[in-house]
Amino acid sequence: MEFNFVLPKDFKSQSVAHLLEQTWLVPRKQRHFLRMKKHFLVNDRAVNDDEMLVSTDRIKIIFDEEDFPLLEVNFGDEKLAEILYEDEHLVIANKPEGMKTHGNTKDEFALQNHVAARLNQPVYVVHRLDEVTSGAVLFAKNQFVLPILGRMFENNEIHREYVALVHGHFQQKKLTINQPIGRDRHDKRKQIVSKTGKMAITHLSVLTDFRQHSLVALSLDTGRTHQIRVHLQAIGHPILGDLLYGKKEHEPRLMLHARQIVLRQPFSEQILEILAPSQSFDARCKQEEDNENQRNRR
């Protein structure tokens, strides 16, 4: 693998060692290979770890196959991979409801396998969505960028916006749910609000009030398992179609969709704002609108 970069104009001067270890989070083993093989070049010359880098420097990094062994991923069906964005280092795909982000076994096919087939190369999971949730999912295209994107998620530098159709109405148009979440000791499938759980913060904005339901937008400061579903159930507004946390009702799907992901491309510094459409989510919301219009005409 060979990667070429031009350091952005607002790049803060730093040493090669700092860039690789602190900024780009290249694992120690791979940093050792770059040093020993002289595979880190600045403006076409090999440099040592103390070399200071400045904006507009041209960087070339070379990794041999043994430096980063390829992940073994069975290729799925490329027709099942809807690609929303792709560059040299990352890809964002639109996951439909009812499909896992990644399989639990080598023989189980999921979005990761289908994206790999579409790109004709392995891809690496950065984050996941529940099987019943649809929307934008980010994958790394190489193990060089994988820890960088992982750290960005941990530092809340990658923002995801969800939409959900929920039961009931809200007194406030905007609110923040700050309630810790932990595992349900009585049902291993579920999470619950718990004083001994981990901090979990969800921001909510009401988009539309229907007769019995509300369409809301949500964003997260934390990424706990089932966070949105648990928080909404805890405040008395479960998501329509949530058979695990909500009411046992006939709905075509869980009405939760990750409609946008926003991040800074870690090497080019470009701000990416990627929207993910969902026909099934929109169709159910359209049904609510049509019902509302019919009532208003009576």
Side-chain angles (χ1 to χ4, degrees):
M1 294 186 294
E2 178 180 309
F3 301 115
N4 294 276
F5 310 95
V6 176
L7 297 178
K9 292 182 179 180
D10 59 352
F11 178 80
K12 295 180 180 179
S13 181
Q14 57 193 271
S15 67
V16 170
H18 189 279
L19 177 75
L20 292 176
E21 183 176 355
Q22 302 296 325
T23 303
W24 286 354
L25 300 179
V26 178
R28 179 183 299 177
K29 181 179 179 181
Q30 282 69 37
R31 298 199 309 270
H32 173 74
F33 289 147
L34 291 175
R35 185 184 308 113
M36 293 298 100
K37 298 177 181 180
K38 297 188 182 301
H39 277 179
F40 188 98
L41 288 79
V42 180
N43 301 323
D44 298 322
R45 62 183 179 87
V47 298
N48 60 37
D49 281 357
D50 296 329
E51 180 86 8
M52 293 301 293
L53 303 171
V54 297
S55 65
T56 71
D57 274 344
R58 289 179 290 108
I59 308 296
K60 177 184 289 187
I61 296 178
I62 303 168
F63 290 113
D64 296 328
E65 186 173 341
E66 67 267 19
D67 298 346
F68 274 125
L70 286 178
L71 176 71
E72 292 186 11
V73 176
N74 292 329
F75 286 2
D77 184 348
E78 65 177 69
K79 296 178 182 177
L80 298 179
E82 180 184 353
I83 304 301
L84 302 172
Y85 173 84
E86 179 191 0
D87 62 29
E88 184 181 8
H89 295 280
L90 56 93
V91 58
I92 299 172
N94 194 10
K95 189 185 83 66
E97 69 278 8
M99 180 186 292
K100 290 184 177 181
T101 301
H102 59 85
N104 295 327
T105 66
K106 289 182 64 176
D107 298 326
E108 185 177 17
F109 287 89
L111 180 64
Q112 180 184 20
N113 308 90
H114 304 319
V115 172
R118 178 71 176 270
L119 273 54
N120 196 33
Q121 69 165 83
V123 293
Y124 303 85
V125 176
V126 178
H127 71 104
R128 60 183 289 274
L129 291 176
D130 295 338
E131 182 177 354
V132 289
T133 304
S134 58
V137 177
L138 172 65
F139 294 95
K141 291 178 66 176
N142 56 69
Q143 293 181 78
F144 174 50
V145 77
L146 181 60
I148 301 173
L149 296 173
R151 184 206 57 182
M152 291 172 68
F153 254 105
E154 291 175 2
N155 293 342
N156 201 29
E157 296 172 7
I158 297 177
H159 304 285
R160 290 173 291 167
E161 183 180 273
Y162 296 78
V163 283
L165 190 62
V166 305
H167 286 276
H169 299 118
F170 297 83
Q171 293 183 341
Q172 301 169 277
K173 291 299 182 182
K174 292 187 177 183
L175 61 94
T176 294
I177 308 166
N178 186 348
Q179 298 188 38
I181 290 176
R183 185 178 297 276
D184 187 338
R185 292 182 300 167
H186 304 291
D187 188 340
K188 64 181 181 180
R189 301 173 303 160
K190 300 175 69 174
Q191 305 289 315
I192 57 172
V193 167
S194 168
K195 292 181 180 179
T196 60
K198 295 181 179 179
M199 180 181 70
I201 300 174
T202 303
H203 303 286
L204 180 150
S205 299
V206 177
L207 299 177
T208 308
D209 288 319
F210 298 111
R211 186 181 183 189
Q212 295 179 318
H213 306 138
S214 299
L215 179 64
V216 298
L218 306 121
S219 62
L220 309 178
D221 285 355
T222 52
R224 308 304 173 207
T225 300
H226 298 173
Q227 178 172 324
I228 291 175
R229 300 166 67 183
V230 172
H231 271 172
L232 287 172
Q233 185 272 338
I235 64 171
H237 297 281
I239 302 172
L240 270 68
D242 194 340
L243 300 180
L244 187 60
Y245 294 100
K247 302 178 180 180
K248 301 298 185 287
E249 58 193 344
H250 179 70
E251 287 289 339
R253 55 160 294 178
L254 173 73
M255 288 301 293
L256 177 63
H257 175 67
R259 72 173 179 181
Q260 185 179 47
I261 187 167
V262 180
L263 70 150
R264 172 185 55 81
Q265 211 286 354
F267 305 120
S268 70
E269 303 287 331
Q270 178 186 1
I271 301 299
L272 306 176
E273 298 183 6
I274 308 302
L275 289 171
S278 172
Q279 292 185 356
S280 60
F281 188 93
D282 290 346
R284 180 63 182 85
C285 290
K286 180 65 162 53
Q287 183 182 350
E288 288 285 322
E289 294 175 3
D290 291 343
N291 291 341
E292 199 76 10
N293 291 334
Q294 288 179 3
R295 293 188 191 96
N296 292 336
R297 285 196 294 266
R298 290 173 184 168

